[in-house]
Amino acid sequence: QVQLVESGGGLVQAGGSLRLSCAASGRTFSSYAMGWFRQAPGKEREFVAIISWNDNTYYADSVKGRFTISRDNAKNTVYLQMNSLKPEDTAVYYCAAPPSGTTVVVTSTAGYHYWGQGTQVTVSS
């Protein structure tokens, strides 16, 4: 059973930075893509960033140039470095992993089977 545990959320002023971490366990971490999604109050969960098993990265247009996703396979951890934060980045951020056997990278939440508990990010203006 894959388990994902996020950390690193908090309250930050606009223009500030945060780094989220997601520790994974339960299967070979390096073989799969990992994703970050977020959900603001009253809105659907949306794609933020994905990193493939071979380190290709994909970003939502709203975060491109400000957020960076990375992974450390030795630590079974994926990171989301968030810079130049805006109030509209306020949301619960979730780490996600696709089902075992998945080889195609997708940005839809439907492509991810395993989810962390979420970590709150609040950006004040």
Side-chain angles (χ1 to χ4, degrees), residues 2-125:
V2 176
Q3 292 187 321
L4 305 173
V5 180
E6 301 103 333
S7 61
L11 173 64
V12 64
Q13 289 188 332
S17 298
L18 283 174
R19 189 176 81 153
L20 306 183
S21 300
C22 172
S25 62
R27 69 180 182 192
T28 305
F29 177 79
S30 60
S31 298
Y32 295 92
M34 294 293 295
W36 285 99
F37 294 78
R38 66 187 182 187
Q39 188 166 17
K43 294 188 176 182
E44 293 188 351
R45 194 169 297 187
E46 64 176 7
F47 156 68
V48 175
I50 292 168
I51 185 165
S52 70
W53 68 272
N54 57 349
D55 291 344
N56 291 323
T57 56
Y58 308 84
Y59 296 96
D61 287 343
S62 59
V63 307
K64 205 171 292 184
R66 299 188 298 121
F67 290 11
T68 302
I69 189 171
S70 62
R71 65 192 300 160
D72 184 338
N73 291 334
K75 296 182 178 180
N76 288 355
T77 300
V78 62
Y79 303 98
L80 186 67
Q81 178 66 44
M82 304 185 295
N83 298 330
S84 302
L85 282 161
K86 305 175 181 179
E88 51 263 45
D89 294 318
T90 295
V92 178
Y93 283 70
Y94 296 91
C95 175
S100 297
T102 299
T103 57
V104 177
V105 174
V106 297
T107 59
S108 167
T109 57
Y112 293 81
H113 184 68
Y114 301 101
W115 296 86
Q117 81 286 357
T119 186
Q120 177 70 47
V121 172
T122 302
V123 184
S124 63
S125 57

